[in-house]
Amino acid sequence: MLPTYAELHCLTNFSFLRGASHPEELAARAAKLGYTALAVTDECSLAGVVRAHVAAKEHGIKLIIGAEFRLAGGPKLVLLATDREAYGNLSQLITAARRRSQKGSYRIAWDDLDTGVPGCLVLLVPDEQPKPEDAQRLARAFPGRAWIAAELHCGPDDRARLEVLLDLGRAAGLPIAAAGDVHMHVRSRRALQDTLTAIRLRTTVAEARGALYPNAERHLRMRMRLA
């Protein structure tokens, strides 16, 4: 039997010029694949959750509400709300981050998280060169509510990457959680996702090649492949 799986890191087209699928498409696809739940985690936004909620209810899949953040001078994090109060706290964090910056951008720093966001769980999405101090700081701010996201996309160094993340988790006392950094509901959206990236960078697809993802693995994958 295949293991159960919930996708915990998923962008929709409400993450402007990043996500290449509508919330409805993602919810329907996750349900078809037999996922236990789908987290909609647009970047510093809850804009996609209304449509995702309607579709998740229609297709009988549990929806988790969350958001992705890139800390100023720090790592990428995904916060997931566990109840109504946590949803309110997450909303306040997003509002504060948006108000500090110009329209269309945001700013969030470690100071906003050092006391934790009550009721929210957090995933650390490490950069290519993870900083142990980031994981340790997160463990202190979110005791018992923090994980390190292992997002493997069939690259040539997946095994080595996983070992790095496991070492990071052991050093900080944080467990590992599987996630997908999903940007599209099916792999055929790769061309659109590449085009969105090029537009965001104000260049052509050909010239943006170095900034594009190397493959189409950031889609909702079958549980057999995930296993």
Side-chain angles (χ1 to χ4, degrees), residues 7-191:
E7 180 53 64
L8 301 177
H9 186 193
C10 178
L11 303 182
T12 77
N13 62 326
F14 283 92
S15 289
F16 188 54
L17 298 181
R18 291 186 62 200
S21 292
H22 296 288
E24 304 95 313
E25 295 174 316
L26 290 156
R29 181 62 176 169
K32 185 176 181 179
L33 293 172
Y35 285 18
T36 303
L38 173 70
V40 170
T41 57
D42 284 309
E43 187 175 8
C44 195
S45 173
L46 299 175
V49 301
V50 175
R51 293 186 180 183
H53 169 73
V54 173
K57 192 173 182 179
E58 177 185 350
H59 294 283
I61 184 171
K62 180 178 176 59
L63 176 68
I64 301 171
I65 295 176
E68 175 196 282
F69 302 91
R70 167 67 72 173
L71 271 61
K76 182 183 295 184
L77 304 176
V78 173
L79 269 67
L80 305 171
T82 60
D83 54 26
R84 185 184 294 271
E85 182 181 356
Y87 174 83
N89 293 331
L90 180 59
S91 299
Q92 289 180 3
L93 180 66
I94 291 171
T95 300
R98 291 288 184 184
R99 283 180 173 174
R100 292 186 190 130
S101 191
Q102 296 179 347
K103 186 176 181 179
S105 60
Y106 66 95
R107 189 181 189 283
I108 185 171
W110 273 116
D111 290 346
D112 298 301
L113 302 173
D114 274 342
T115 58
V117 181
C120 286
L121 311 179
V122 63
L123 297 175
L124 170 64
V125 184
D127 294 323
E128 287 299 315
Q129 300 295 329
K131 297 179 179 179
E133 56 268 29
D134 288 340
Q136 293 162 1
R137 190 167 186 174
L138 203 64
R140 291 193 298 270
F142 292 80
R145 296 184 287 130
W147 286 260
I148 294 173
E151 300 183 331
L152 307 177
H153 299 106
C154 297
D157 59 349
D158 276 359
R159 188 178 297 275
R161 174 67 174 173
L162 183 57
E163 286 300 321
V164 169
L165 297 179
L166 289 170
D167 288 342
L168 181 67
R170 282 190 285 265
L174 293 179
I176 306 293
D181 191 21
V182 171
H183 284 59
M184 48 201 164
H185 72 298
V186 290
R187 65 167 53 248
S188 59
R189 287 288 171 90
R190 165 77 187 277

